[in-house]
Amino acid sequence: MESFDVVIIGSGPGGYVAAIRSAQLGLRTAIIEKDKELGGTCLNIGCIPSKALLSSSHHYAFAKTEAAKHGIRIDNVALDLPTMLTRKDKVVKALTGGVRGLMKLNKVSTFQGTGMITAPGKVAVQGAEGVAQEIEAKHIIIATGSVVVELPSMKFDGDVIVSSTEALSFPEVPKKLLVIGGGAIGLEMGSVWSRLGSEVTVVEFLPRIALGFDLELATALQKALTAQGMRFHLGTKVGEVKVENRRATATATKGDEQLTFGADKVLVSVGRRAFAEGVGADKIGVELDDRKRIKVDEHFRTNVKGVYAIGDVIAGPMLAHKAEEEGIACVEMIAGKAGHVNYNVIPGVIYTHPELAGVGITEDFAKEKGMKVRVGKFPFRANGRALAAEDVDGFVKFVADAENDRIIGAHIMSPAASDLISECVAVMEFGGSAEDLGRTVHAHPTLSEAVKEAALSVNKSAIHIGNR
Ligand code: FAD
Ligand code: NAI
């Protein structure tokens, strides 16, 4: 029987990153993945293919509606959807192949099959051919991720009522797409198909979109997406979706009003749930919480000695970078080092155009809790680089502790918000103040100058806008 120091079940961003770090630390490491490709949800059916389509559809929309403003005439812009989808698949293949290469490079043993813990220290790998192989491990990390939430009144049929996975590969642009849930998936995939010509309606149960993000920015994003052609019904609950002759009819209630939506495709994006089934957690008595997530302590240890869990399968935001950091911290602690994840500074991003990014405390949360904060803002319409690019929609907002000026929240809506937020995260990680960031030299002309200016505006010293 092969024996390892660390065996990781699941090769998503949590699992594969943990495997690399584990091997770097000199631990004999193995990873088990039930799917043919490594990389998990993120690389195969999540972050990467969605961003590939967001990128392609953005170019298409630019060519159709924005290029002329720059003095570029593009006649007869036409969509070649098969090529767009093939490119997306190629990107995924390059990255999943890359992960396989990294496993080899780091001498991580890879097993294909379903991993099941049969006893502490023992994992059976059930391959596709039905042959089970047992391996031994001093430490077992469960990194089995999450799966889509299915609602009983709108069960997935893989054709008309679908999840994000099918929405990454619609063979043609649906004439009408109904999106149920105005969260990250609904807004990103809704944007893709709206840009490609679909009539997209988003129905959201809450009175706002993008829960978790700053309300003012989320409202601004909704306005921007509405201007791009997407329709929104907030505070609206879909009761049921019926399918007849491959056409869906959804009935919904908005207060006292009854609404009916017809659609060719219905994307149900109402969240994901932790997936700990079939991994043997129940067999060895690993405790789950009330949402069926694996319970862990601050060392990612479950209640069973030698068994750990990281990523989407435990509590916290379901984000690839959160899973990665947990993977690294978990194996570092296994190796006797001081691993740590700072949960106060995990950024979140929605990759629409403009993008929405946020980290830390929002202004609305601070108000609700009666916290003493100062807020600084700066709009991209006053930023030279944004004007040069003719892409000015959005602003930066900082929330700083009123007593010591420390930044406790940063929120950005802009074309490159996903990258701009990193600077804010770094400053927050080091406990920096708005003045620290505001006095840091930023290259000119860059979008990042809006970040600097917003930080200056916390103390009413922004240069390129009036300070009230
Ligand atoms: P996963 O990536 O889910 O990986 C778990 C792996 O475990 C899977 O490969 C699964 O096959 C395997 N597995 C499960 N059980 C077993 C078993 N018993 N034996 C062997 N293998 C098993 N996050 C972001 O941060 N940014 C984004 O832009 C983003 N976009 C997304 C877009 C979409 C459409 C979706 C669906 C998700 C997106 N996410 C994004 C979320 C992100 O994909 C997840 O947070 C991330 O993949 C979680 O990583 P993980 O390693 O915990 O689990
Ligand atoms: P989500 O939790 O982000 O959003 C779901 C939305 O659906 C919520 O706003 C909720 O109020 C709404 N909802 C729930 N039930 C409803 C109903 N019956 N009718 C109408 N609306 C309803 O979940 P989503 O978008 O499915 O994404 C799943 C996970 O994947 C998220 O946790 C997210 O973190 C991750 N993800 C991250 C991305 C990113 O980082 N850019 C991109 C895509 C997904």
Side-chain angles (χ1 to χ4, degrees):
M1 191 187 298
E2 271 195 276
S3 186
F4 298 91
D5 295 315
V6 176
V7 166
I8 297 155
I9 307 177
S11 72
Y16 89 73
V17 169
I20 294 171
R21 186 70 188 122
S22 172
Q24 281 176 353
L25 292 166
L27 301 168
R28 218 170 112 72
T29 308
I31 193 161
I32 307 169
E33 172 54 57
K34 68 180 166 65
D35 287 350
K36 214 172 96 233
E37 304 297 343
L38 302 177
T41 304
C42 180
L43 270 64
N44 291 285
I45 51 163
C47 328
I48 298 303
S50 59
K51 268 78 245 174
L53 288 183
L54 278 158
S55 192
S56 297
S57 60
H58 178 69
H59 292 316
Y60 177 69
F62 178 84
K64 271 200 107 155
T65 59
E66 301 298 314
K69 290 184 202 161
H70 292 262
I72 307 166
R73 234 186 57 203
I74 312 176
D75 296 325
N76 304 322
V77 177
L79 175 66
D80 175 1
L81 185 58
T83 300
M84 199 179 276
L85 296 177
T86 305
R87 189 196 80 89
K88 177 244 328 168
D89 293 339
K90 272 191 200 153
V91 172
V92 168
K93 213 167 167 212
L95 282 163
T96 54
V99 171
R100 199 167 285 282
L102 284 170
M103 292 302 114
K104 279 203 188 107
L105 185 74
N106 288 283
K107 302 195 170 46
V108 173
S109 301
T110 309
F111 293 85
Q112 200 203 325
T114 302
M116 192 210 269
I117 310 171
T118 49
K122 295 225 162 23
V123 185
V125 186
Q126 182 82 47
E129 309 79 31
V131 195
Q133 179 184 356
E134 195 150 83
I135 55 177
E136 258 179 355
K138 283 195 195 121
H139 307 275
I140 300 167
I141 303 176
I142 302 175
T144 47
S146 61
V147 289
V148 64
V149 166
E150 183 173 48
L151 297 179
S153 55
M154 46 196 98
K155 281 195 172 291
F156 297 120
D157 60 17
D159 176 27
V160 178
I161 305 179
V162 300
S163 73
S164 51
T165 304
E166 291 78 22
L168 288 167
S169 301
F170 287 149
E172 54 195 48
V173 179
K175 206 165 162 310
K176 282 190 178 190
L177 170 65
L178 180 66
V179 175
I180 302 179
I185 292 181
L187 298 176
E188 290 185 2
M189 294 315 299
S191 281
V192 165
W193 294 105
S194 164
R195 291 169 189 169
L196 298 182
S198 189
E199 203 180 284
V200 175
T201 303
V202 179
V203 179
E204 166 59 53
F205 174 67
L206 297 172
R208 57 164 296 171
I209 59 165
L211 184 68
F213 288 83
D214 182 272
L215 181 58
E216 189 185 5
L217 267 86
T219 308
L221 177 65
Q222 186 189 333
K223 204 171 145 202
L225 296 178
T226 303
Q228 288 165 27
M230 284 170 72
R231 294 178 194 173
F232 291 89
H233 285 270
L234 306 185
T236 306
K237 190 174 187 321
V238 176
E240 196 183 16
V241 182
K242 282 197 174 139
V243 179
E244 228 175 70
N245 299 327
R246 300 192 66 215
R247 280 271 311 162
T249 309
T251 44
T253 44
K254 188 179 195 170
D256 297 336
E257 219 183 323
Q258 295 289 325
L259 300 172
T260 306
F261 302 97
D264 306 286
K265 299 275 183 198
V266 179
L267 165 62
V268 184
S269 47
V270 295
R272 294 178 62 82
R273 62 172 177 85
F275 179 73
E277 289 138 47
V279 74
D282 48 341
K283 286 206 170 67
I284 56 160
V286 169
E287 261 186 73
L288 306 182
D289 68 12
D290 54 344
R291 288 168 62 184
K292 299 220 159 94
R293 299 174 298 197
I294 294 181
K295 266 193 187 175
V296 292
D297 65 9
E298 63 284 3
H299 285 239
F300 305 100
R301 292 178 293 216
T302 69
N303 59 313
V304 176
K305 198 171 181 314
V307 179
Y308 308 74
I310 56 162
D312 278 11
V313 79
I314 67 169
M318 289 183 165
L319 295 171
H321 40 286
K322 177 255 192 191
E324 290 182 22
E325 294 305 323
E326 288 179 343
I328 289 172
C330 178
V331 293
E332 287 185 341
M333 288 189 275
I334 287 173
K337 294 189 176 296
H340 174 66
V341 178
N342 185 352
Y343 288 98
N344 295 323
V345 289
I346 296 182
V349 179
I350 296 185
Y351 295 81
T352 43
H353 188 90
E355 295 175 343
L356 194 58
V359 58
I361 283 168
T362 59
E363 186 183 8
D364 24 310
F365 179 86
K367 272 193 190 139
E368 197 186 300
K369 297 283 170 203
M371 295 165 75
K372 287 202 173 69
V373 296
R374 276 202 301 265
V375 172
K377 278 194 225 175
F378 192 84
F380 282 93
R381 71 183 145 71
N383 172 272
R385 185 65 184 276
L387 279 159
E390 189 84 31
D391 210 347
V392 295
D393 204 3
F395 57 98
V396 182
K397 183 196 274 195
F398 278 108
V399 183
D401 188 319
E403 268 169 27
N404 55 21
D405 197 39
R406 202 170 144 153
I407 299 172
I408 55 171
H411 310 278
I412 306 175
M413 182 175 108
S414 89
S418 53
D419 287 318
L420 295 177
I421 199 75
S422 299
E423 172 185 14
C424 310
V425 176
V427 172
M428 286 169 72
E429 179 68 42
F430 290 99
S433 67
E435 187 180 350
D436 287 333
L437 208 162
R439 286 189 184 274
T440 305
V441 182
H442 287 65
H444 175 75
T446 57
L447 296 178
S448 72
E449 285 172 294
V451 175
K452 173 189 167 84
E453 290 267 24
L456 286 172
S457 126
V458 168
N459 294 306
K460 304 199 183 310
S461 48
I463 301 298
H464 293 92
I465 196 143
N467 291 286
R468 266 169 281 145

